[in-house]
Amino acid sequence: RKEVEQDPGPFNVPEGATVAFNCTYSNSASQSFFWYRQDCRKEPKLLMSVYSSGNEDGRFTAQLNRASQYISLLIRDSKLSDSATYLCVVILISSGSARQLTFGSGTQLTVLP
Amino acid sequence: DVKVTQSSRYLVKRTGEKVFLECVQDMDHENMFWYRQDPGLGLRLIYFSYDVKMKEKGDIPEGYSVSREKKERFSLILESASTNQTSMYLCASTGQAPGGYGYTFGSGTRLTVV
């Protein structure tokens, strides 16, 4: 079983739609959670951190459910510019206090005009 | 602005060549990472380092080695390049601050081994 699992999609949604992605992780000791966005042929960039209390950044809302070991990302009022691959990222503190990222394989979103 | 710089954007090497991929960060970060990204497989961790001269194997270290002689520089070495090492290689770094502290990636090196 993969440590971090995401539905690869693709999700094709019309402009203005609300879309949600889920991600599950297997290691209950995971400590930090993020969503990254990756545009085609570019490097991943941090979109937002994910907290147990839930957090919102404009049209984006992230939630963490530690009991069920999943995180979610909700995008409201989708824009064409939201088209990208969204990567779920989980961090474990490993030896020497190194913070090791584990990535999901990404969910591809295409917002259609 | 935080920066992670990878020395080459595109690289073509021959099978059997020794290949060096360089990564430099200007943020005084302790932790540095090398990933490779392949279609359908996502990002996979090759090696990471949490301090100068320290290194740890990631999930797929075979065929690779690393060097961290200075805090700002983390090098990935392909001792004898093979065609299955054709991939996008991404370097990342982060500081020691706990939770809620994201990673910064370099723009990647697309390596083709022929």
Side-chain angles (χ1 to χ4, degrees), chain A residues 27-91:
Chain A
N27 191 327
S28 58
S30 300
Q31 297 181 306
S32 300
F33 308 88
F34 303 88
W35 284 101
Y36 277 71
R37 170 195 170 125
Q38 187 173 24
D39 294 299
C40 189
R41 295 187 173 274
K42 296 284 181 80
E43 74 273 22
K45 292 188 176 175
L46 179 63
L47 180 65
M48 58 199 301
S49 304
V50 187
Y51 304 114
S52 296
S53 53
N55 48 303
E56 194 172 305
D57 182 2
R59 298 181 292 108
F60 296 82
T61 301
Q63 292 274 358
L64 165 64
N65 185 318
R66 283 192 184 271
S68 301
Q69 294 182 205
Y70 79 82
I71 70 174
S72 64
L73 177 68
L74 182 77
I75 306 175
R76 288 181 300 277
D77 188 24
S78 302
K79 312 288 184 196
L80 296 177
S81 57
D82 293 335
S83 297
T85 297
Y86 291 83
L87 301 168
C88 168
V89 181
V90 170
I91 292 180

Side-chain angles (χ1 to χ4, degrees), chain B residues 80-104:
Chain B
S80 176
S82 63
T83 54
N84 63 12
Q85 292 179 309
T86 292
S87 185
M88 167 70 101
Y89 289 88
L90 290 158
C91 174
S93 76
T94 189
Q96 287 285 13
Y101 201 86
Y103 286 60
T104 301

Side-chain angles (χ1 to χ4, degrees), chain B residues 31-48:
Chain B
N31 301 304
M32 296 186 75
F33 306 82
W34 275 106
Y35 289 84
R36 64 178 282 178
Q37 187 174 28
D38 302 286
L41 296 175
L43 280 92
R44 292 179 291 166
L45 181 64
I46 304 170
Y47 267 98
F48 63 101

Side-chain angles (χ1 to χ4, degrees), chain B residues 38-100:
Chain B
D38 302 286
L41 296 175
L43 280 92
R44 292 179 291 166
L45 181 64
I46 304 170
Y47 267 98
F48 63 101
S49 168
Y50 54 86
D51 203 351
V52 176
K53 296 196 187 290
M54 306 302 285
K55 60 185 178 184
E56 286 211 21
K57 292 180 181 179
D59 299 319
I60 50 163
E62 296 78 20
Y64 303 94
S65 62
V66 290
S67 171
R68 185 116 182 252
E69 295 297 317
K70 294 185 178 181
K71 191 175 187 181
E72 67 270 18
R73 187 180 295 269
F74 191 35
S75 304
L76 179 70
I77 303 152
L78 286 65
E79 297 291 343
S80 176
S82 63
T83 54
N84 63 12
Q85 292 179 309
T86 292
S87 185
M88 167 70 101
Y89 289 88
L90 290 158
C91 174
S93 76
T94 189
Q96 287 285 13

